[in-house]
Amino acid sequence: MRALITGATGFVAKHLTKHLTNLGFEVWGTTRKSSPVLFKGIHHIQTLDLNTSIEQIVSYLNFLKPDYIFHLAGQSSVKKSWDNKIETFEANVVMTINLLEAVRGSIVAESVKILTVGSSEEYGEVNLENMPISEKNPLRPISPYGISKATVSMLAEQYHRSYSLNIVHVRPFNHIGPGQDVGFVTSDFAKQIAEIEEGKQTPIIKVGNLDAKRDFTDVRDIVQAYALLVAHGQSGKIYNVCSKKPTSIQEILEKLINLSRCQNIEIHRDLSKMRPSDFPYYYGDSSEISLHTGWSPKMSIDDSLKDILDHWRLR
Ligand code: GDD
């Protein structure tokens, strides 16, 4: 089986490559900017900007003939989307249209199974009585990122309905793990704690909104969900990928500080880390994916946080 991962040098892609390789897949990847690094397990990384020419993407698909496409390329930061609205739409919406148009024009149009990646941010404002959030919940996104991902989910449904492409769309809730960049909450906190331990930073940790509650799943569980969904997920369907448990950002911070070798860390609010709107409370319902694939997350949040902190300690 041959899998193509777009955005192959990203955080989730590296974990997905490892998982697919272990399952016996031949994994190929595309990346926007040329990457001198060939990641372990990946057969070949092609420099291909999905924003430019559809013909180039068609040629590549006709050459590769993938059985599966995991479309992970995109702009994944909610925070950045407020300052980079156009780039966010180019990376998330335009690249998805180009890829789906290319698939439609390629020789694998009828055979390839595609996974498009959305987000729990598509739901946006959700009434408390509608928690845990199911896939049927109306979409009322409150960030540019959420709007871009809601558009991706509608594109996925439309290309399935209008052109019979085999597409499964996922709505992952917050995913965390070793290798995630700064700019996401657990890495932002863990990197600072690792630097405080090394004496590179005074024992003050800068934080944003600690009151929000989010549904966290380890990336190593998330990639298992993606592999199961391309094999067993129903084309045209949308699946939440989540843990069904809300955890507050305050709790994440306390857990990471408890794992630290320094206990006298001061916490400072940094206004630049706050967002124009940040929904206070989210957790998802993952019954659909469990029903169709048997998936459920295995890693505890404590184990994930330990691995994330160890990752930053080794950098
Ligand atoms: N990044 C960050 N850094 N967030 C902070 C910080 C900080 O120092 N302090 C508090 N927060 C709060 C944010 O305001 C938000 O409420 C929460 O922590 C989580 O922030 P992020 O880790 O940046 O994640 P996100 O929820 O905005 O988006 C992530 O999850 C989505 C799914 O819900 C990303 O992984 C998205 O790509 C993903 O789609």
Side-chain angles (χ1 to χ4, degrees):
M1 285 289 169
R2 186 174 289 165
L4 170 64
I5 302 178
T6 68
T9 57
F11 160 59
V12 179
K14 288 180 200 162
H15 287 278
L16 181 62
T17 299
K18 191 169 171 199
H19 181 58
L20 294 178
T21 309
N22 288 341
L23 293 176
F25 281 73
E26 183 185 299
V27 182
W28 293 60
T30 65
T31 180
R32 205 172 190 177
K33 296 189 190 114
S34 64
S35 165
V37 188
L38 200 57
F39 297 107
K40 212 172 152 214
I42 206 152
H43 190 82
H44 180 76
I45 297 190
Q46 176 74 28
T47 307
L48 184 64
D49 186 348
L50 301 179
N51 251 331
T52 49
S53 141
I54 294 177
E55 290 74 34
Q56 268 182 31
I57 311 170
V58 173
S59 311
Y60 184 64
L61 293 174
N62 287 346
F63 150 76
L64 191 64
K65 301 183 197 67
D67 299 293
Y68 300 111
I69 299 175
F70 296 87
H71 180 38
L72 304 193
Q75 196 295 91
S76 60
S77 164
V78 178
K79 174 84 170 69
K80 273 191 198 160
S81 77
W82 290 101
D83 302 323
N84 302 282
K85 298 181 179 80
I86 292 171
E87 290 82 349
T88 299
F89 275 75
E90 276 168 2
N92 294 348
V93 178
V94 178
M95 286 203 315
T96 303
I97 296 176
N98 286 350
L99 177 69
L100 296 180
E101 278 298 307
V103 170
R104 207 159 77 78
S106 77
I107 58 174
V108 293
E110 285 177 21
S111 59
V112 70
K113 186 107 176 242
I114 306 158
L115 179 127
T116 52
V117 180
S119 167
S120 56
E121 280 282 317
E122 291 176 42
Y123 296 115
E125 197 168 326
V126 180
N127 299 330
L128 273 185
E129 65 267 24
N130 291 342
M131 305 278 174
I133 309 167
S134 87
E135 292 85 350
K136 292 190 182 71
N137 204 80
L139 305 184
R140 285 192 286 253
I142 55 169
S143 63
Y145 173 84
I147 298 170
S148 75
K149 288 295 189 178
T151 310
V152 172
S153 78
M154 290 173 193
L155 284 168
E157 282 190 312
Q158 192 237 322
Y159 272 78
H160 171 71
R161 205 171 284 138
S162 310
Y163 304 120
S164 305
L165 294 192
N166 293 307
I167 309 178
V168 168
H169 181 75
V170 287
R171 291 198 182 124
F173 286 57
N174 294 56
H175 34 307
I176 56 172
Q180 191 170 30
D181 252 330
V182 285
F184 300 94
V185 68
T186 56
S187 283
D188 278 353
F189 292 172
K191 179 174 187 268
Q192 293 184 73
I193 291 173
E195 290 188 348
I196 291 168
E197 286 180 346
E198 277 181 65
K200 286 188 186 159
Q201 181 175 321
T202 50
I204 295 173
I205 183 164
K206 290 188 179 162
V207 302
N209 174 16
L210 296 181
D211 300 327
K213 288 188 176 158
R214 292 286 181 270
D215 180 331
F216 292 93
T217 306
D218 193 278
V219 65
R220 289 159 286 189
D221 280 319
I222 295 268
V223 297
Q224 294 199 15
Y226 290 1
L228 285 166
L229 280 171
V230 292
H232 308 292
Q234 247 174 40
S235 288
K237 259 191 86 74
I238 294 176
Y239 294 91
N240 283 343
V241 185
C242 54
S243 73
K244 295 192 196 170
K245 287 184 218 116
T247 306
S248 75
I249 307 303
Q250 173 80 41
E251 205 180 329
I252 296 281
L253 178 63
E254 283 165 9
K255 282 176 184 289
L256 280 167
I257 291 178
N258 283 338
L259 287 168
S260 164
R261 295 192 276 268
C262 305
Q263 291 303 310
N264 54 345
I265 297 176
E266 274 180 44
I267 299 163
H268 283 196
R269 283 283 166 111
D270 178 347
L271 285 182
S272 71
K273 287 174 176 265
M274 306 297 277
R275 302 166 186 192
S277 59
D278 197 11
F279 201 72
Y281 183 53
Y282 261 160
Y283 72 107
D285 175 355
S286 56
S287 316
E288 283 293 295
I289 182 175
S290 301
L291 185 71
H292 289 201
T293 71
W295 178 86
S296 62
K298 300 284 177 297
M299 286 199 68
S300 72
I301 194 142
D302 292 320
D303 287 341
S304 300
L305 293 175
K306 192 174 165 303
D307 289 351
I308 293 165
L309 185 54
D310 283 344
H311 170 84
W312 285 106
R313 280 173 174 151
L314 294 172
R315 302 244 328 168

